[in-house]
Amino acid sequence: MRPLRARMACAVENADLRQRLDKALTHTIAAREDRVRERADWEALRDAAAARRRHALERLPDLLEEFERNATASGARVHYAQTAGEATDLVAGFTGRPAAPLVKSKSMVTEEIGLRIALAGAGIAVVETDLGEYVIQLANSTPSHIVAPVIHLSAGDIARVFRSELGLDIPEDNDPRTISLAARAHLRDAFLRAEVGMCGANFLTAAEGAVVVCTNEGNAGLCTSLPRRLIVVAGIEKVMPDLASLHECLVLLASSSTGQRQNCYLNILRGPRAGGEPDGPDSVDIVLLDNGRSALLGDDGLWESLACIRCGACLNACPVYGVTGGQAYGWVYPGPIGIVLSPFLGSPEGRAMADACTLCGACGDVCPVRIDLPACISHVRARGAPRLPGIPSAAAAAFSTSPFGLLAGLVRARSRRQGRVRLGPARAWSLGRELPPCSGVPFRRLWRDEGGDDE
Amino acid sequence: VTPARERILRRLREASREPGHERPPALSSVAGWGPPGASPIETFAERFRHFLTVGDETYGSFRTARSIEEAAQSAAEVLRSAGAGSLVAHPSALCVEVLDLLPETGFSPARADRVAEAEAALCEADLLCVETGSYLIRPCDGWARAGSLLPPVQVVLGRESALVGSLGEALQAVSGWNASCCAVISGPSRTADVEKTLVVPAHGPRELHLILALGR
């Protein structure tokens, strides 16, 4: 894989990608704003959801044990996995060798650990049933958004994938409705034949031992109803005290992710089917994954990021994501929340992703659970960029006379002539940015004129 | 007890945060939902219908029925207009009453295990949530989970007494149910994965019709 900077630069140059992102993000942002306007209690919802998620994280080990007790009492089996490898081994063991491919609904945690690909390596066929994820699977690609995996692709791109990989007869007008209905028809048989189903969890609830999954397509409902065996993979941070405590989070999740008043389907799962029920799984295995989350909980600057409900609103609001899309980040969680999670949850980029941020604060403004993402990103940056010997702090540099003062003078002079900064080492950085002209008066003079001192 | 479990829980306890956040109180109850002056039924109807409309198309309906005969008449109209010949039916008393009154229009109730072939489903909602315009349903002996997903046309009966105000209240009720699962359903299935164009249906039903039995 090429370096992060090269991938980002390449994405910025891709006019088609920018156009598709612009259309998709504009649509989603407008829909979310409609929801914000129609809920007079929007800020109260955010306050309550933020408090509920933090309340749960502060009691995480107790809630996990309570969840385990109650899920087990309902007949489910609960397992713990410290790493991606442990989770994959557990899932492969439960799955065995089914006669038909396992059907799976969209789950970011399974993307995080590369589960589908790992299972394929173990000889276990998996079919993604979310339309976007199915396209990603067929195209052998990676999702570009945690809610909308294929916003980087046009209808024509998707139709080509279906024609070439499935032989579907999709007319050349590439109508989104025709494409979507073709996928529905094609996947129906996979649902009906599957022996094993898999889903993630938007939330777990301790008091009921329940797994809560939200979808619009209805695919999670089918994955968890028709096959006789069900496997759930969930991050350990997903647990909440009880179902009632999900109220605000569920409203905010739908509104912040897709601008809906509510997701079409909330599936609340509590163990295998009861006697007499015509369908539903006979066995339910729930894998609770750590994969760096316990370390994140111990980080004083970043632990609140575990409150994330994966709505993707911070991606939609991020000006960097808006021009690069998600694949340029090179990891399953792109955008602001991805930057914060990356040092802990196994990103190959580690802290380097923090460079892909302007610290504009838009992500923090929209986060439904009030995660202070700009502060978190600053925290990642500060820890990832130890000061080099001989490089002064920003404050010291601002008030030094040389060489910073000389450099600042040159920038101002160049700015007066060209209208924007394009100077020396800042040239590459400034190519993708529109900056206002520099002030003709140095900050130091303004500061002193206002009575400030150099300390 | 596995080593992974013990290690994860130990790490979490070591990382444990000082409890600094109290559990917030539940949001307000039914009185707080909907425009001022609107009844819970009017508010539920507006929110339920909201999910049915995509562009110029409408994928279902909301009706009220003052008698069981009226409910059966509405169900028959829906099934006839959808061209549904076979249906799976929920075993609830309300569904059985309606089923018995369906006029001779060629409907043949299918067995619950034939849900994949059924052209329509007739079920009774356990709860109706005013805040979100959603209905809640759980499986039982004779009603498959997939009954709400596979048949393309869904006719849902709801009792007026099943109305609850907030989603939180609905979830509180689910907490007390001894059911292996519950679905909170808000409109027909949909996807917008292709260029953000909203398409109905995705994997679930294409039509959702709710008949509210008044006074029941």
Side-chain angles (χ1 to χ4, degrees), chain A residues 234-282:
Chain A
I236 53 175
E237 83 281 17
K238 296 288 187 185
V239 69
M240 294 281 277
D242 51 31
L243 281 169
S245 63
L246 299 183
H247 178 182
E248 299 88 355
C249 287
L250 289 170
V251 173
L252 290 166
L253 176 60
S255 302
S256 301
S257 59
T258 53
Q260 292 173 281
R261 285 181 175 176
Q262 193 51 251
N263 289 111
C264 280
Y265 298 97
L266 307 181
N267 294 102
I268 300 167
L269 311 168
R270 298 172 73 175
R273 64 173 167 159
E277 289 178 15
D279 65 356
D282 292 321

Short mmCIF file of all heavy atoms in Angstrom, two decimals, chain A residues 234-282:
data_model
loop_
_atom_site.label_atom_id
_atom_site.label_comp_id
_atom_site.label_asym_id
_atom_site.label_seq_id
_atom_site.Cartn_x
_atom_site.Cartn_y
_atom_site.Cartn_z
N ALA A 234 -19.20 -8.73 18.67
CA ALA A 234 -19.46 -7.36 19.18
C ALA A 234 -18.26 -6.86 19.96
O ALA A 234 -17.60 -7.63 20.67
CB ALA A 234 -20.69 -7.37 20.09
N GLY A 235 -18.00 -5.58 19.84
CA GLY A 235 -16.97 -4.96 20.67
C GLY A 235 -17.44 -4.88 22.11
O GLY A 235 -18.65 -4.71 22.37
N ILE A 236 -16.50 -4.99 23.05
CA ILE A 236 -16.90 -5.02 24.47
C ILE A 236 -17.47 -3.68 24.94
O ILE A 236 -18.14 -3.62 25.97
CB ILE A 236 -15.71 -5.39 25.38
CG1 ILE A 236 -14.51 -4.48 25.10
CG2 ILE A 236 -15.35 -6.85 25.24
CD1 ILE A 236 -13.34 -4.70 26.04
N GLU A 237 -17.22 -2.63 24.16
CA GLU A 237 -17.70 -1.31 24.60
C GLU A 237 -19.17 -1.09 24.31
O GLU A 237 -19.74 -0.06 24.68
CB GLU A 237 -16.87 -0.21 23.93
CG GLU A 237 -17.30 0.18 22.51
CD GLU A 237 -16.83 -0.79 21.43
OE1 GLU A 237 -16.45 -1.93 21.78
OE2 GLU A 237 -16.86 -0.41 20.25
N LYS A 238 -19.82 -2.04 23.65
CA LYS A 238 -21.20 -1.83 23.20
C LYS A 238 -22.24 -2.02 24.29
O LYS A 238 -23.42 -1.78 24.08
CB LYS A 238 -21.53 -2.83 22.07
CG LYS A 238 -20.69 -2.64 20.82
CD LYS A 238 -21.10 -1.41 20.08
CE LYS A 238 -20.39 -1.29 18.75
NZ LYS A 238 -20.71 -0.02 18.09
N VAL A 239 -21.83 -2.48 25.44
CA VAL A 239 -22.82 -2.86 26.46
C VAL A 239 -23.38 -1.62 27.17
O VAL A 239 -22.66 -0.67 27.47
CB VAL A 239 -22.21 -3.88 27.45
CG1 VAL A 239 -21.15 -3.25 28.32
CG2 VAL A 239 -23.29 -4.51 28.30
N MET A 240 -24.69 -1.66 27.38
CA MET A 240 -25.42 -0.62 28.10
C MET A 240 -26.21 -1.29 29.22
O MET A 240 -26.44 -2.50 29.18
CB MET A 240 -26.36 0.12 27.15
CG MET A 240 -25.65 0.91 26.07
SD MET A 240 -25.01 2.47 26.67
CE MET A 240 -26.49 3.50 26.57
N PRO A 241 -26.68 -0.52 30.20
CA PRO A 241 -27.32 -1.17 31.35
C PRO A 241 -28.57 -1.97 30.99
O PRO A 241 -28.75 -3.09 31.45
CB PRO A 241 -27.68 0.00 32.26
CG PRO A 241 -26.71 1.07 31.90
CD PRO A 241 -26.47 0.92 30.43
N ASP A 242 -29.47 -1.39 30.19
CA ASP A 242 -30.71 -2.11 29.86
C ASP A 242 -31.31 -1.52 28.58
O ASP A 242 -30.83 -0.52 28.05
CB ASP A 242 -31.72 -2.04 31.02
CG ASP A 242 -31.94 -0.63 31.49
OD1 ASP A 242 -31.84 0.29 30.66
OD2 ASP A 242 -32.19 -0.44 32.69
N LEU A 243 -32.38 -2.14 28.11
CA LEU A 243 -32.99 -1.71 26.85
C LEU A 243 -33.48 -0.27 26.94
O LEU A 243 -33.30 0.52 25.99
CB LEU A 243 -34.14 -2.64 26.48
CG LEU A 243 -33.75 -3.99 25.86
CD1 LEU A 243 -34.95 -4.92 25.80
CD2 LEU A 243 -33.14 -3.80 24.47
N ALA A 244 -34.12 0.08 28.04
CA ALA A 244 -34.69 1.43 28.14
C ALA A 244 -33.61 2.50 28.01
O ALA A 244 -33.86 3.60 27.53
CB ALA A 244 -35.45 1.58 29.45
N SER A 245 -32.38 2.17 28.42
CA SER A 245 -31.31 3.17 28.37
C SER A 245 -30.80 3.41 26.95
O SER A 245 -29.93 4.25 26.73
CB SER A 245 -30.15 2.77 29.29
OG SER A 245 -29.57 1.57 28.85
N LEU A 246 -31.34 2.67 25.98
CA LEU A 246 -30.94 2.88 24.59
C LEU A 246 -31.77 3.95 23.89
O LEU A 246 -31.46 4.33 22.76
CB LEU A 246 -31.09 1.57 23.79
CG LEU A 246 -30.28 0.38 24.23
CD1 LEU A 246 -30.51 -0.78 23.27
CD2 LEU A 246 -28.81 0.71 24.28
N HIS A 247 -32.82 4.40 24.53
CA HIS A 247 -33.79 5.28 23.89
C HIS A 247 -33.12 6.41 23.09
O HIS A 247 -33.25 6.50 21.87
CB HIS A 247 -34.71 5.85 24.98
CG HIS A 247 -35.74 6.81 24.48
ND1 HIS A 247 -36.61 7.44 25.31
CD2 HIS A 247 -36.02 7.27 23.23
CE1 HIS A 247 -37.41 8.22 24.61
NE2 HIS A 247 -37.06 8.14 23.35
N GLU A 248 -32.37 7.25 23.77
CA GLU A 248 -31.80 8.42 23.10
C GLU A 248 -30.77 7.99 22.05
O GLU A 248 -30.68 8.57 20.97
CB GLU A 248 -31.14 9.35 24.11
CG GLU A 248 -32.09 9.91 25.17
CD GLU A 248 -32.22 9.02 26.38
OE1 GLU A 248 -31.64 7.90 26.38
OE2 GLU A 248 -32.90 9.42 27.35
N CYS A 249 -29.97 6.99 22.38
CA CYS A 249 -28.93 6.55 21.44
C CYS A 249 -29.56 6.05 20.14
O CYS A 249 -29.03 6.31 19.04
CB CYS A 249 -28.07 5.45 22.06
SG CYS A 249 -26.94 6.04 23.33
N LEU A 250 -30.67 5.34 20.23
CA LEU A 250 -31.29 4.80 19.02
C LEU A 250 -31.89 5.92 18.16
O LEU A 250 -31.79 5.88 16.93
CB LEU A 250 -32.37 3.78 19.39
CG LEU A 250 -31.84 2.46 19.96
CD1 LEU A 250 -32.98 1.62 20.52
CD2 LEU A 250 -31.08 1.67 18.91
N VAL A 251 -32.48 6.91 18.80
CA VAL A 251 -33.02 8.04 18.04
C VAL A 251 -31.87 8.80 17.37
O VAL A 251 -31.91 9.13 16.18
CB VAL A 251 -33.83 8.98 18.96
CG1 VAL A 251 -34.24 10.25 18.22
CG2 VAL A 251 -35.07 8.26 19.49
N LEU A 252 -30.82 9.05 18.12
CA LEU A 252 -29.69 9.81 17.59
C LEU A 252 -28.93 9.03 16.52
O LEU A 252 -28.42 9.62 15.56
CB LEU A 252 -28.73 10.19 18.73
CG LEU A 252 -29.27 11.22 19.71
CD1 LEU A 252 -28.40 11.26 20.96
CD2 LEU A 252 -29.31 12.60 19.05
N LEU A 253 -28.85 7.73 16.68
CA LEU A 253 -28.14 6.92 15.70
C LEU A 253 -28.80 7.02 14.33
O LEU A 253 -28.14 7.27 13.31
CB LEU A 253 -28.09 5.45 16.16
CG LEU A 253 -27.45 4.46 15.20
CD1 LEU A 253 -25.99 4.81 14.91
CD2 LEU A 253 -27.53 3.03 15.77
N ALA A 254 -30.13 6.86 14.30
CA ALA A 254 -30.83 6.93 13.01
C ALA A 254 -30.72 8.33 12.41
O ALA A 254 -30.44 8.48 11.21
CB ALA A 254 -32.30 6.55 13.21
N SER A 255 -30.90 9.34 13.23
CA SER A 255 -30.89 10.71 12.72
C SER A 255 -29.50 11.13 12.27
O SER A 255 -29.35 11.81 11.24
CB SER A 255 -31.36 11.69 13.81
OG SER A 255 -32.65 11.33 14.25
N SER A 256 -28.49 10.74 13.02
CA SER A 256 -27.14 11.20 12.72
C SER A 256 -26.48 10.41 11.60
O SER A 256 -25.59 10.91 10.92
CB SER A 256 -26.26 11.10 13.98
OG SER A 256 -26.79 11.86 15.02
N SER A 257 -26.91 9.18 11.41
CA SER A 257 -26.24 8.35 10.40
C SER A 257 -26.82 8.56 9.01
O SER A 257 -26.10 8.80 8.05
CB SER A 257 -26.32 6.87 10.78
OG SER A 257 -27.68 6.47 10.90
N THR A 258 -28.15 8.49 8.91
CA THR A 258 -28.77 8.57 7.59
C THR A 258 -29.85 9.65 7.52
O THR A 258 -30.50 9.79 6.49
CB THR A 258 -29.42 7.21 7.23
OG1 THR A 258 -30.28 6.83 8.30
CG2 THR A 258 -28.37 6.14 7.01
N GLY A 259 -30.02 10.38 8.60
CA GLY A 259 -31.05 11.42 8.59
C GLY A 259 -32.45 10.86 8.68
O GLY A 259 -33.41 11.53 8.30
N GLN A 260 -32.61 9.67 9.19
CA GLN A 260 -33.94 9.08 9.35
C GLN A 260 -34.48 9.36 10.75
O GLN A 260 -33.72 9.56 11.69
CB GLN A 260 -33.87 7.56 9.17
CG GLN A 260 -33.53 7.11 7.77
CD GLN A 260 -33.31 5.61 7.75
OE1 GLN A 260 -32.25 5.13 8.14
NE2 GLN A 260 -34.30 4.88 7.31
N ARG A 261 -35.81 9.33 10.85
CA ARG A 261 -36.39 9.43 12.18
C ARG A 261 -36.10 8.16 12.98
O ARG A 261 -35.96 8.19 14.19
CB ARG A 261 -37.90 9.63 12.08
CG ARG A 261 -38.28 11.03 11.66
CD ARG A 261 -39.79 11.16 11.59
NE ARG A 261 -40.18 12.53 11.29
CZ ARG A 261 -41.44 12.90 11.10
NH1 ARG A 261 -42.41 12.01 11.17
NH2 ARG A 261 -41.73 14.15 10.82
N GLN A 262 -36.07 7.05 12.30
CA GLN A 262 -35.77 5.77 12.96
C GLN A 262 -35.30 4.78 11.90
O GLN A 262 -35.70 4.88 10.75
CB GLN A 262 -37.03 5.25 13.66
CG GLN A 262 -36.78 4.12 14.64
CD GLN A 262 -35.68 4.43 15.64
OE1 GLN A 262 -34.61 3.85 15.57
NE2 GLN A 262 -35.92 5.36 16.55
N ASN A 263 -34.44 3.87 12.29
CA ASN A 263 -34.07 2.79 11.37
C ASN A 263 -35.30 1.91 11.14
O ASN A 263 -36.14 1.76 12.03
CB ASN A 263 -32.94 1.94 11.95
CG ASN A 263 -31.62 2.68 11.96
OD1 ASN A 263 -31.11 3.02 13.00
ND2 ASN A 263 -31.09 2.96 10.79
N CYS A 264 -35.37 1.30 9.97
CA CYS A 264 -36.54 0.46 9.67
C CYS A 264 -36.66 -0.69 10.65
O CYS A 264 -37.76 -1.04 11.07
CB CYS A 264 -36.41 -0.12 8.27
SG CYS A 264 -36.89 1.04 7.02
N TYR A 265 -35.55 -1.30 10.99
CA TYR A 265 -35.60 -2.49 11.84
C TYR A 265 -34.64 -2.36 13.01
O TYR A 265 -33.44 -2.15 12.81
CB TYR A 265 -35.22 -3.75 11.05
CG TYR A 265 -36.15 -4.05 9.91
CD1 TYR A 265 -35.85 -3.65 8.62
CD2 TYR A 265 -37.36 -4.70 10.13
CE1 TYR A 265 -36.72 -3.90 7.57
CE2 TYR A 265 -38.24 -4.94 9.10
CZ TYR A 265 -37.91 -4.54 7.82
OH TYR A 265 -38.79 -4.77 6.80
N LEU A 266 -35.18 -2.47 14.20
CA LEU A 266 -34.34 -2.71 15.38
C LEU A 266 -34.63 -4.15 15.79
O LEU A 266 -35.76 -4.48 16.16
CB LEU A 266 -34.72 -1.80 16.55
CG LEU A 266 -34.79 -0.30 16.33
CD1 LEU A 266 -35.17 0.39 17.64
CD2 LEU A 266 -33.46 0.23 15.85
N ASN A 267 -33.65 -5.00 15.68
CA ASN A 267 -33.83 -6.39 16.08
C ASN A 267 -33.22 -6.58 17.45
O ASN A 267 -32.03 -6.30 17.66
CB ASN A 267 -33.16 -7.33 15.07
CG ASN A 267 -33.86 -7.26 13.71
OD1 ASN A 267 -33.37 -6.63 12.79
ND2 ASN A 267 -35.01 -7.88 13.61
N ILE A 268 -34.03 -7.01 18.38
CA ILE A 268 -33.59 -7.22 19.76
C ILE A 268 -33.55 -8.73 19.97
O ILE A 268 -34.60 -9.39 19.97
CB ILE A 268 -34.55 -6.54 20.75
CG1 ILE A 268 -34.59 -5.03 20.46
CG2 ILE A 268 -34.12 -6.81 22.19
CD1 ILE A 268 -35.73 -4.30 21.16
N LEU A 269 -32.37 -9.28 20.13
CA LEU A 269 -32.18 -10.74 20.14
C LEU A 269 -31.82 -11.20 21.54
O LEU A 269 -30.91 -10.65 22.17
CB LEU A 269 -31.07 -11.12 19.17
CG LEU A 269 -31.18 -10.51 17.77
CD1 LEU A 269 -29.89 -10.70 16.98
CD2 LEU A 269 -32.35 -11.13 17.02
N ARG A 270 -32.51 -12.23 22.00
CA ARG A 270 -32.26 -12.73 23.36
C ARG A 270 -32.19 -14.25 23.34
O ARG A 270 -33.08 -14.92 23.82
CB ARG A 270 -33.36 -12.26 24.30
CG ARG A 270 -33.42 -10.76 24.43
CD ARG A 270 -34.63 -10.29 25.21
NE ARG A 270 -34.54 -10.55 26.63
CZ ARG A 270 -35.45 -10.14 27.51
NH1 ARG A 270 -36.49 -9.44 27.11
NH2 ARG A 270 -35.33 -10.41 28.79
N GLY A 271 -31.13 -14.77 22.79
CA GLY A 271 -30.91 -16.21 22.86
C GLY A 271 -31.60 -16.98 21.76
O GLY A 271 -32.24 -16.41 20.87
N PRO A 272 -31.48 -18.32 21.81
CA PRO A 272 -32.08 -19.16 20.77
C PRO A 272 -33.59 -19.08 20.79
O PRO A 272 -34.20 -18.60 21.76
CB PRO A 272 -31.61 -20.57 21.15
CG PRO A 272 -30.52 -20.39 22.14
CD PRO A 272 -30.75 -19.08 22.82
N ARG A 273 -34.21 -19.58 19.74
CA ARG A 273 -35.67 -19.56 19.66
C ARG A 273 -36.28 -20.40 20.79
O ARG A 273 -35.69 -21.40 21.22
CB ARG A 273 -36.13 -20.09 18.32
CG ARG A 273 -35.80 -21.53 18.07
CD ARG A 273 -36.46 -21.97 16.79
NE ARG A 273 -35.93 -23.25 16.33
CZ ARG A 273 -36.59 -24.02 15.49
NH1 ARG A 273 -37.76 -23.67 15.02
NH2 ARG A 273 -36.06 -25.15 15.10
N ALA A 274 -37.46 -19.97 21.21
CA ALA A 274 -38.16 -20.72 22.25
C ALA A 274 -38.94 -21.85 21.60
O ALA A 274 -39.21 -21.81 20.39
CB ALA A 274 -39.09 -19.77 22.99
N GLY A 275 -39.31 -22.83 22.40
CA GLY A 275 -40.09 -23.95 21.88
C GLY A 275 -41.38 -23.46 21.23
O GLY A 275 -42.06 -22.61 21.79
N GLY A 276 -41.68 -23.98 20.06
CA GLY A 276 -42.90 -23.57 19.37
C GLY A 276 -42.69 -22.49 18.34
O GLY A 276 -43.49 -22.35 17.42
N GLU A 277 -41.62 -21.70 18.49
CA GLU A 277 -41.37 -20.66 17.48
C GLU A 277 -40.94 -21.34 16.18
O GLU A 277 -40.04 -22.19 16.20
CB GLU A 277 -40.28 -19.70 17.96
CG GLU A 277 -40.74 -18.80 19.09
CD GLU A 277 -39.61 -17.88 19.58
OE1 GLU A 277 -38.59 -17.75 18.90
OE2 GLU A 277 -39.79 -17.32 20.68
N PRO A 278 -41.56 -20.97 15.06
CA PRO A 278 -41.28 -21.67 13.81
C PRO A 278 -39.88 -21.45 13.27
O PRO A 278 -39.37 -22.26 12.51
CB PRO A 278 -42.32 -21.12 12.84
CG PRO A 278 -43.35 -20.45 13.69
CD PRO A 278 -42.65 -20.00 14.92
N ASP A 279 -39.26 -20.31 13.58
CA ASP A 279 -37.91 -20.07 13.06
C ASP A 279 -37.06 -19.42 14.14
O ASP A 279 -37.48 -19.27 15.28
CB ASP A 279 -37.95 -19.25 11.76
CG ASP A 279 -38.50 -17.84 11.98
OD1 ASP A 279 -38.91 -17.52 13.12
OD2 ASP A 279 -38.54 -17.07 11.02
N GLY A 280 -35.86 -19.03 13.74
CA GLY A 280 -34.90 -18.51 14.71
C GLY A 280 -33.83 -19.55 14.97
O GLY A 280 -34.03 -20.74 14.70
N PRO A 281 -32.69 -19.12 15.47
CA PRO A 281 -31.57 -20.05 15.64
C PRO A 281 -31.76 -20.99 16.83
O PRO A 281 -32.36 -20.63 17.83
CB PRO A 281 -30.38 -19.12 15.88
CG PRO A 281 -30.99 -17.89 16.47
CD PRO A 281 -32.35 -17.74 15.86
N ASP A 282 -31.23 -22.21 16.68
CA ASP A 282 -31.20 -23.14 17.80
C ASP A 282 -30.01 -22.87 18.71
O ASP A 282 -30.00 -23.27 19.87
CB ASP A 282 -31.11 -24.58 17.28
CG ASP A 282 -32.39 -24.97 16.55
OD1 ASP A 282 -33.47 -24.60 17.02
OD2 ASP A 282 -32.30 -25.62 15.49
#
